[in-house]
Amino acid sequence: MRPHLLPLTVAAAALVLVPSAAAAASGSAASGSAASGFTITDPRIKESSGLAASRIHPGVYWTHNDSDDGPYVYAVDSATGKTVARITLTGIGKPRDVEGISLGPDGRLYVGDIGDNLGGSWNHVWIYRFAEPKTLGDATLKAEQFTVKYADGPRNAEALMVHPVTGRVYIASKDEKAGGLYEGPAALSASGTNTFRRIGDVPWVTDGAFSPDGGQLVLRGYLWARTYPWKDGRPAGDGEAVAAPWQGQAESVTYTADGSTLMFGAEGVGSRVVAVPVAPAAKPSPTASAPGAPAPVPGAPAAPESGSFTKGALVLVLALAITLAAKRLLRRRPPKR
């Protein structure tokens, strides 16, 4: 949600990333995107932290605030940026930190109350599920509530993805050094605890989404995004870098309903959702691993214009160096008299 060092770190990294992001945006506009970006105009949506494209309402996207809002989900019309429905969920407890939303093959929306900024202090989190309404308008709907635990202990997470073919739910935890991709049970149970098990490693993830056909998984962070072919219930290869836009508090991503475009969102009042056309499919590069070593989910943070681990690492190292230098300077200032 809000890392303590985010402002300085992001500002430093922006010096490196802004030129390439601007070039990517220019290239996207020139290529004629299948969908257009839009601005969320509803002042109640201050911290949009997830996006899901409706399948029955063309051009409509579901979103939510990430905390301190209540049991609300909003439908936003991308043609106008206006809210066309606010759904109030009943049958659930008080949401703590809602961080992700995804639409399943059953036509139901899954809402992930999975954030934990206290470093894994909650021994369980929740997922809420309700049917996407056929008619748009403010309404109160009863939702199912599912209790979720991780097999290897509590953790913070911001990305919830439901596979559009199998209906299986996945969560990506958010950790600078030990983020993981977690797989839920084949079917969620409302009567017991649903244990999610780690199936691979991921970088610092703020959101993710499956393509409509289930063949691709996109993951994004504050400074990067990558797409991975999805094979046999796992991401395959090193994936491909996506020219994600520079958005500061970059919190969300989803595919358009036809899969032709990625929609990137961010927090803030009047936040902009940016459309980035999906690149033609490319063969994933093979992943080399030591004999007997567990196969991680490949992909490390990288600058948007490159899939190179080296460039991404340099960006983060530069940002960290500037942050530490600034802190030292502040400590060395003589006290005011």
Side-chain angles (χ1 to χ4, degrees):
M1 189 165 117
R2 295 185 190 85
H4 295 302
L5 295 180
L6 178 62
L8 282 174
T9 304
V10 168
L15 297 176
V16 179
L17 298 183
V18 166
S20 60
S26 175
S28 297
S31 65
S33 172
S36 299
F38 61 96
T39 298
I40 297 175
T41 61
D42 190 336
R44 297 173 297 181
I45 305 176
K46 300 176 181 179
E47 295 182 323
S48 175
S49 191
L51 283 174
S54 171
R55 294 199 193 103
I56 59 177
H57 303 293
V60 168
Y61 292 85
W62 293 96
T63 189
H64 54 81
N65 288 309
D66 75 355
S67 60
D68 302 324
D69 184 29
Y72 306 120
V73 179
Y74 302 82
V76 179
D77 183 0
S78 62
T80 63
K82 295 181 179 180
T83 296
V84 291
R86 184 174 85 156
I87 305 301
T88 302
L89 302 181
T90 62
I92 65 173
K94 182 180 179 180
R96 288 187 298 207
D97 192 355
V98 179
E99 292 287 358
I101 186 167
S102 186
L103 185 60
D106 53 6
R108 290 183 285 186
L109 285 158
Y110 293 67
V111 181
D113 191 355
I114 55 177
D116 186 350
N117 287 319
L118 300 178
S121 61
W122 296 328
N123 66 358
H124 70 278
V125 291
W126 299 297
I127 292 173
Y128 313 125
R129 183 174 71 186
F130 66 100
E132 182 180 17
K134 295 180 180 179
T135 302
L136 292 176
D138 292 355
T140 298
L141 298 177
K142 187 174 182 180
E144 297 175 275
Q145 177 170 306
F146 304 97
T147 298
V148 169
K149 290 187 176 182
Y150 302 96
D152 52 357
R155 58 209 57 250
N156 185 28
E158 293 193 3
L160 174 81
M161 299 81 67
V162 181
H163 195 275
V165 177
T166 67
R168 200 156 199 153
V169 183
Y170 297 84
I171 294 174
S173 69
K174 180 182 176 185
D175 189 284
E176 186 175 0
K177 297 180 179 179
L181 181 64
Y182 290 81
E183 179 184 72
L188 297 179
S189 170
S191 60
T193 298
N194 298 272
T195 301
F196 278 61
R197 303 184 185 282
R198 190 181 184 108
I199 60 172
D201 302 329
V202 294
W204 183 286
V205 175
T206 60
D207 202 12
F210 284 105
S211 59
D213 64 0
Q216 297 285 325
L217 172 68
V218 61
L219 298 174
R220 82 162 304 176
Y222 293 119
L223 308 174
W224 62 277
R226 295 186 75 82
T227 59
Y228 303 89
W230 188 260
K231 296 182 179 180
D232 301 322
R234 300 289 187 274
D238 291 331
E240 297 290 334
V242 177
W246 166 251
Q247 291 180 297
Q249 194 72 22
E251 290 278 337
S252 57
V253 66
T254 192
Y255 282 85
T256 53
D258 65 1
S260 66
T261 307
L262 285 166
M263 307 295 283
F264 290 89
E267 288 191 1
V269 175
S271 61
R272 181 76 180 163
V273 176
V274 179
V276 176
V278 172
K283 293 182 179 180
S285 56
T287 302
S289 58
V297 175
E305 78 279 10
S306 171
S308 165
F309 171 82
T310 303
K311 289 186 178 180
L314 288 174
V315 170
L316 296 180
V317 169
L318 173 62
L320 180 60
I322 293 177
T323 300
L324 294 176
K327 291 175 69 176
R328 290 194 185 99
L329 287 174
L330 289 174
R331 285 200 297 265
R332 291 176 182 175
R333 287 181 180 177
K336 292 183 179 180
R337 298 182 179 180

